[in-house]
């Protein structure tokens, strides 16, 4: 514990536990103990040492389709507003009025010309500039004792948009977003990502720790959890040799689950009427044959299929509660066109089930989240600390856990 009483990594993981996580043999390694998923203290440690220091996904560009659109978000409990300014640029600011520190934007809004604090009506431009402080000195324009506008605009937060995800970073000295995602950039370079359009957007909460999302970045569970979607183990691994048809490519703050050339091709986005979605537009004339499941640590996933791109943002709410934000992007003609409605619906059925509800166990994400809830519940047990990794499938899980520990030291 620090002198001010804040928890430290050593309160949860001693040197032996860290050595067990990092031991060279994956088969002998041991994963993070249950308390890092359940305790308020570890949650506070992450909120203090991890999330304020890294790039964190907070929203999608489709949440801000036009100038003047704005949404309130938060990172590590810090309130932030992201908005699209008059020129179309996405910006982020601390969502705090410079008068007496009140939340300025309380709910998503469209087409704003300016932001106005709900308390005493201090008014800010979409560039954050302080525009008005009505009756500050008793006069309508507060001209007798004007507030120094240059020193009292909304405080900017570093912000960037990458592949339709809006990332923010509270740290002024962190490397740029482009560097954070650089190892993953090549995997998107053959596609015209800017051309994609959002065809569906949803969000929900589930009762599990946010880290279980990244712990789930493996295909070992596919045929059991996603029955009917990933059907045969022979699609995932050479049954003779045990060689999986997916490899984990982890580098820096990125993890990619990438199909090898041997993985059987699938056509998943086919509707009952036989219609299919058009492929994602390519800049190189190269069709995407296989899906790629990408994770930008700590909280963003970007899954790329032949005809849909599905980014997800996972925000810690409490040790045992996570909020999921998901968006589905398609080729522009497929995002909303009625001729593609059936195939679009089939793709969404596969992801979140025909009812589109968070509990529809026919969809991949509700199935995943249910498993995460089972894992969270198990972590109340005194025997939940002995966590093992498959040497064939779960190198990425250990990579993420090691990445986390190294950032909390
Ligand atoms: S606190 Fe915002 S105007 Fe007073």
């Amino acid at each position: 514990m620090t002198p001010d009483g804040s928890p430290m990594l050593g309160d949860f993981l001693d040197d032996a536990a860290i050595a067990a996580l990092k031991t060279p043999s994956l088969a002998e390694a041991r994963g993070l103990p249950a308390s890092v998923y359940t305790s308020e203290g570890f949650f506070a440690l992450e909120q203090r040492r991890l999330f304020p220091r890294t790039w964190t996904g907070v929203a999608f560009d489709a949440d801000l389709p036009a100038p003047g659109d704005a949404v309130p978000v938060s990172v590590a409990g810090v309130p932030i507003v992201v908005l699209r300014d008059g020129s179309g640029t996405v910006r982020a600011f601390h969502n705090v009025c410079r008068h007496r520190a009140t939340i300025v934007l309380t709910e998503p809004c469209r087409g704003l010309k300016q932001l106005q604090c709900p308390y005493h009506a201090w008014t800010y431009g979409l560039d954050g500039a302080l525009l008005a402080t009505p009756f500050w000195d008793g006069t309508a324009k507060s001209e007798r004792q004007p507030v120094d506008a240059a020193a009292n605009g909304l405080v900017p937060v570093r912000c960037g948009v990458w592949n339709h995800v809006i990332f923010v970073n509270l740290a002024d000295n962190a490397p740029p977003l482009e560097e954070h995602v650089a190892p993953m950039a090549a995997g998107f370079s053959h596609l015209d990502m800017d051309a994609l359009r959002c065809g569906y957007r949803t969000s929900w909460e589930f009762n599990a720790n946010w880290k279980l999302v990244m712990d789930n970045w493996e295909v070992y569970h596919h045929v059991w959890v996603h029955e009917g979607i990933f059907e045969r183990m022979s699609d995932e691994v050479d049954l003779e040799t045990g060689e999986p048809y997916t490899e984990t490519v982890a580098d820096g703050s990125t993890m990619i689950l990438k199909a090898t050339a041997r993985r059987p091709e699938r056509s998943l986005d086919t509707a009952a009427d036989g219609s299919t979605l058009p492929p994602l537009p390519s800049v190189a004339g190269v069709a995407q044959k296989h899906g790629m499941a990408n994770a930008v640590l700590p909280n963003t996933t970007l899954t790329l299929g032949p005809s849909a791109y599905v980014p997800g943002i996972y925000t810690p709410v409490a040790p045992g509660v996570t909020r999921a934000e998901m968006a589905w992007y398609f080729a522009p003609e497929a995002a909303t066109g009625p001729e593609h409605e059936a195939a679009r619906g089939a793709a969404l059925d596969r992801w979140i089930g025909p009812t589109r509800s968070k509990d529809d166990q026919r969809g991949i994400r509700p199935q995943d989240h249910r498993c995460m809830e089972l894992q969270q519940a198990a972590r109340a047990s005194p025997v939940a600390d002995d966590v093992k990794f498959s040497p064939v499938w779960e190198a990425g899980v250990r990579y993420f856990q090691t990445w986390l520990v190294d950032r909390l030291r």
Side-chain angles (χ1 to χ4, degrees):
M1 213 168 263
T2 62
D4 69 358
S6 300
M8 297 174 62
L9 184 65
D11 299 334
F12 305 91
L13 287 173
D14 59 18
D15 289 345
I18 293 174
L21 174 66
K22 295 188 173 186
T23 194
S25 165
L26 185 56
E28 293 172 13
R30 290 296 178 268
L32 295 174
S35 63
V36 310
Y37 298 85
T38 60
S39 82
E40 294 284 354
F42 198 86
F43 187 83
L45 175 64
E46 293 169 342
Q47 295 283 292
R48 182 168 56 86
R49 289 189 65 85
L50 173 64
F51 287 98
R53 299 176 175 188
T54 189
W55 288 98
T56 305
V58 293
F60 306 111
D61 61 359
D63 297 334
L64 309 171
D69 296 346
V71 293
V73 298
S74 69
V75 171
V78 174
I80 296 168
V81 54
V82 292
L83 58 79
R84 192 176 292 278
D85 72 11
S87 69
T89 300
V90 174
R91 295 171 177 256
F93 301 95
H94 287 274
N95 190 7
V96 176
C97 179
R98 300 302 306 282
H99 173 212
R100 278 171 46 206
T102 299
I103 296 294
V104 177
L105 187 80
T106 57
E107 58 188 22
C109 288
R110 293 284 173 92
L112 296 175
K113 299 298 182 202
Q114 53 198 22
L115 302 169
Q116 188 174 69
C117 176
Y119 202 0
H120 311 96
W122 279 32
T123 303
Y124 304 89
L126 298 179
D127 60 355
L130 179 62
L131 301 178
T133 57
F135 295 99
W136 167 254
D137 61 0
T139 68
K141 294 186 177 177
S142 64
E143 285 169 337
R144 287 183 307 189
Q145 293 178 294
V147 177
D148 181 357
N152 288 285
L154 292 178
V155 177
V157 174
R158 294 175 72 195
C159 172
V161 183
W162 191 68
N163 285 329
H164 301 282
V165 178
I166 300 171
F167 291 88
V168 300
N169 195 324
L170 290 166
D172 291 333
N173 59 355
L177 175 61
E178 293 72 22
E179 199 172 306
H180 190 75
V181 299
M184 195 173 279
F188 290 85
S189 60
H190 64 297
L191 295 170
D192 184 2
M193 293 297 292
D194 290 343
L196 305 188
R197 293 292 173 265
C198 184
Y200 195 75
R201 171 81 167 86
T202 192
S203 60
W204 65 83
E205 287 187 0
F206 57 97
N207 296 318
N209 186 268
W210 70 273
K211 292 186 290 297
L212 292 168
V213 176
M214 296 307 172
D215 282 356
N216 190 52
W217 224 241
E218 41 88 357
V219 299
Y220 186 23
H221 68 280
H222 276 191
V223 295
W224 294 286
V225 174
H226 307 307
E227 190 181 2
I229 299 168
F230 299 99
E231 291 180 348
R232 298 179 302 271
M233 210 59 197
S234 58
D235 288 342
E236 304 288 355
V237 62
D238 183 326
L239 298 179
E240 296 296 320
T241 65
E243 177 198 346
Y245 297 149
T246 308
E247 58 181 342
T248 302
V249 182
D251 187 356
S253 297
T254 66
M255 295 197 306
I256 307 170
L257 280 174
K258 188 175 177 185
T260 66
R262 295 188 61 200
R263 192 180 201 198
E265 242 181 284
R266 299 188 180 105
S267 178
L268 292 170
D269 296 331
T270 304
D273 64 4
S275 62
T276 58
L277 286 170
L280 298 180
S282 164
V283 293
V286 181
Q288 176 96 10
K289 272 173 61 181
H290 298 290
M292 275 174 60
N294 307 288
V296 177
L297 304 178
N299 79 324
T300 303
T301 60
L302 311 100
T303 303
L304 199 52
S307 52
Y309 163 62
V310 188
I313 295 168
Y314 294 87
T315 303
V317 176
V321 182
T322 300
R323 182 169 181 80
E325 306 281 350
M326 295 191 70
W328 281 259
Y329 288 79
F330 302 100
E333 68 276 22
T336 55
E339 68 277 22
H340 296 294
E341 188 174 355
R344 198 167 56 239
L348 291 167
D349 289 354
R350 183 167 59 86
W351 273 98
I352 46 176
T355 64
R356 313 282 190 262
S357 77
K358 77 182 189 73
D359 297 317
D360 191 332
Q361 286 299 308
R362 291 166 289 184
I364 291 172
R365 276 295 170 266
Q367 292 167 346
D368 280 328
H369 293 160
R370 177 173 177 272
C371 275
M372 294 171 203
E373 291 183 338
L374 295 176
Q375 289 179 281
Q376 186 72 23
R379 278 161 173 71
S381 166
V383 300
D385 287 343
D386 185 26
V387 171
K388 307 162 192 79
F389 304 115
S390 161
V392 172
W393 302 99
E394 295 177 317
V397 185
R398 198 256 289 265
Y399 183 89
F400 162 61
Q401 295 190 2
T402 303
W403 179 94
L404 177 78
V405 165
D406 289 344
R407 274 150 189 81
L408 295 177
R409 280 178 184 269

